[in-house]
């Protein structure tokens, strides 16, 4: 049986944070940085005066108190029970003169959360994402940075089957992970998905009160002619507000999960966005298990990277790692880059700017004889 396995960081299917659509990287980074800072402050059990001042400053800076469908703020604080004495803050004034006073004493004193405002992607962007997926035409596709399982369902029926007239994916699955932006790791499959094991509750050894995985490391089990295939999906810690030690700890845990899964079936594949290059400590850690990157196979003769212009191994963030038993079964390895808009990349004719790109990641795939 010939089977194609792929991984693709899709950067959301239908809805994307408005901050991510800003053309200037500095502006995007500032909003995302402030959002991370605000989330961390809001999770404190007790708000000290300095914490309250910083929370108020960030809310004012990004109009996070404002409900305005015509001009939504980039960050919004959703208070589900903002009654008297039960909310996070109160405001005075209006417009640019609005001032915020944090009234809650700590996290337990109010109910709600901060979120990045989102808007719908242009239909052209969604179709370009669909073009990448349909051109790869994988039997099993690991999806990175997708909203939820229903988004996978809609993408399959409305875009792949409806707009593009391509073969359907009868099976899809996704477990909500730990990312506050709601970007998760899911899967499309043309073979039955028989089980999933989540690791969203794994904690850091050095900080037991913190979750280990930035998203999750789901174990998707696929039924294939009697021998189960397990896909370990990954989206390791990004280099934004970098924490190399965390990314290494995640890789070490993935290695442990891989070894345990290998005792159940010889067909275990580790895939996804590792957010690091092949010489990095996390990649080396995973390589010590015997897993090998398909882009190092003689069958691959493409670009060295998977992100941006894909020109160097520094641009390689996406991986499909195979166990030794599957290495001889590799028939072909490919990289679909045409959904990217970058210098030196030949894009689809419908990708005419960065805003129209399907993603800034390429889709990586491998054909195996199982």
């Amino acid at each position: 049986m010939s089977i194609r396995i792929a991984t693709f960081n899709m950067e959301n299917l239908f809805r994307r944070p408005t901050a991510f659509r800003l053309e200037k990287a500095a502006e995007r980074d500032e909003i995302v940085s402030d959002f991370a800072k605000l989330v961390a402050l809001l999770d404190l059990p007790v708000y000290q005066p300095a914490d309250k001042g910083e929370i108020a400053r960030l809310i004012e800076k990004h109009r996070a108190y404002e409900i305005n469908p015509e001009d939504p703020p980039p960050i919004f604080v959703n208070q589900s029970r903002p009654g008297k004495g039960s909310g996070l803050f109160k405001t005075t004034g209006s417009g640019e003169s609005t001032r915020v006073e944090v009234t809650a004493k700590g996290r337990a004193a109010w109910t709600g959360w901060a979120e990045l405002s989102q808007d719908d992607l242009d239909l052209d962007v969604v179709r370009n994402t669909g073009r990448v997926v349909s051109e790869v035409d994988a039997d099993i596709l690991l999806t990175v940075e997708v909203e939820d399982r229903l988004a996978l369902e809609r993408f399959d029926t409305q875009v792949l089957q409806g707009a593009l007239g391509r073969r359907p994916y009868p099976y899809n699955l996704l477990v909500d992970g730990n990312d506050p932006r709601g970007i998760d790791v899911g899967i499309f499959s043309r073979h039955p998905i028989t089980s999933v094991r989540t690791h969203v509750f794994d904690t850091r050894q050095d900080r037991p009160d913190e979750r280990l995985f930035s998203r999750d490391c789901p174990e998707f089990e696929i039924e294939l002619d009697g021998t189960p295939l397990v896909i370990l999906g990954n989206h390791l810690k990004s280099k934004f507000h970098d924490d190399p030690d965390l990314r290494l700890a995640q890789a070490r845990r993935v290695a442990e999960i891989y070894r345990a899964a290998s005792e159940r079936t010889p067909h275990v594949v580790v895939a996804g966005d590792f957010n690091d290059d092949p010489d990095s400590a996390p990649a080396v850690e995973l390589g010590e298990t015997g897993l090998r990157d398909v882009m190092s196979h003689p069958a691959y003769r493409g670009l060295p990277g998977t992100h941006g212009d894909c020109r160097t191994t520094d641009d390689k963030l996406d991986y499909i790692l195979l166990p030794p038993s599957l290495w001889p079964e590799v028939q072909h390895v490919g990289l679909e880059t045409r959904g990217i808009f970058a210098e030196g990349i030949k894009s689809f004719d419908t990708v005419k700017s960065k805003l129209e790109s399907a993603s800034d990641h390429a889709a990586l795939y491998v054909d195996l004889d199982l």
Side-chain angles (χ1 to χ4, degrees), residues 9-186:
N9 185 322
M10 306 172 85
E11 291 194 311
N12 295 62
L13 294 174
F14 295 102
R15 307 196 76 219
R16 188 171 296 172
T18 55
F20 291 0
R21 306 193 70 189
L22 296 173
E23 291 196 23
K24 295 183 179 179
E27 294 179 1
R28 293 196 304 270
D29 292 348
E30 181 179 1
I31 292 172
V32 175
S33 177
D34 284 351
F35 174 71
K37 187 185 301 182
L38 179 60
V39 169
L41 287 168
L42 293 179
D43 280 344
L44 293 174
V46 177
Y47 301 151
Q48 301 297 337
D51 302 326
K52 290 185 175 184
E54 184 63 4
I55 291 170
R57 185 188 73 81
L58 292 170
I59 291 174
E60 290 176 3
K61 176 181 177 181
H62 296 288
R63 300 181 291 120
Y65 52 81
E66 188 172 278
I67 301 175
N68 184 353
E70 300 299 322
D71 182 23
I75 299 172
F76 179 66
V77 175
N78 190 327
Q79 301 183 83
S80 59
R81 296 180 182 176
K84 184 178 180 181
S86 62
L88 170 65
F89 61 86
K90 63 181 181 181
T91 61
T92 56
S94 61
E96 295 183 359
S97 300
T98 300
R99 292 295 173 262
V100 170
E101 178 188 353
V102 175
T103 55
K105 295 181 179 179
R107 193 64 187 88
W110 67 287
T111 303
W113 60 90
E115 58 190 48
L116 287 168
S117 295
Q118 300 193 31
D119 63 0
D120 295 337
L121 291 172
D122 293 335
L123 183 58
D124 290 340
V125 176
V126 179
R127 285 179 173 170
N128 285 333
T129 303
R131 287 190 71 177
V132 173
V133 174
S134 62
E135 288 296 325
V136 171
D137 197 25
D139 299 291
I140 299 169
L141 171 63
L142 186 77
T143 63
V144 179
E145 287 198 25
V146 294
E147 298 94 307
D148 50 48
R149 200 196 71 78
L150 290 180
L152 291 176
E153 190 81 19
R154 288 193 297 270
F155 186 78
D156 178 59
T157 57
Q158 298 175 15
V159 181
L160 295 180
Q161 296 182 61
L164 300 175
R166 301 306 294 259
R167 287 197 298 160
Y169 283 100
Y171 309 98
N172 64 72
L173 197 57
L174 180 149
V175 177
D176 280 338
N178 293 320
D179 196 302
R181 296 169 295 172
I183 54 174
D184 297 310
V185 179

Side-chain angles (χ1 to χ4, degrees), residues 350-361:
T350 51
V351 177
K352 300 173 183 177
S353 71
K354 187 172 180 62
L355 291 177
E356 293 177 323
S357 63
S359 173
D360 56 8
H361 290 253

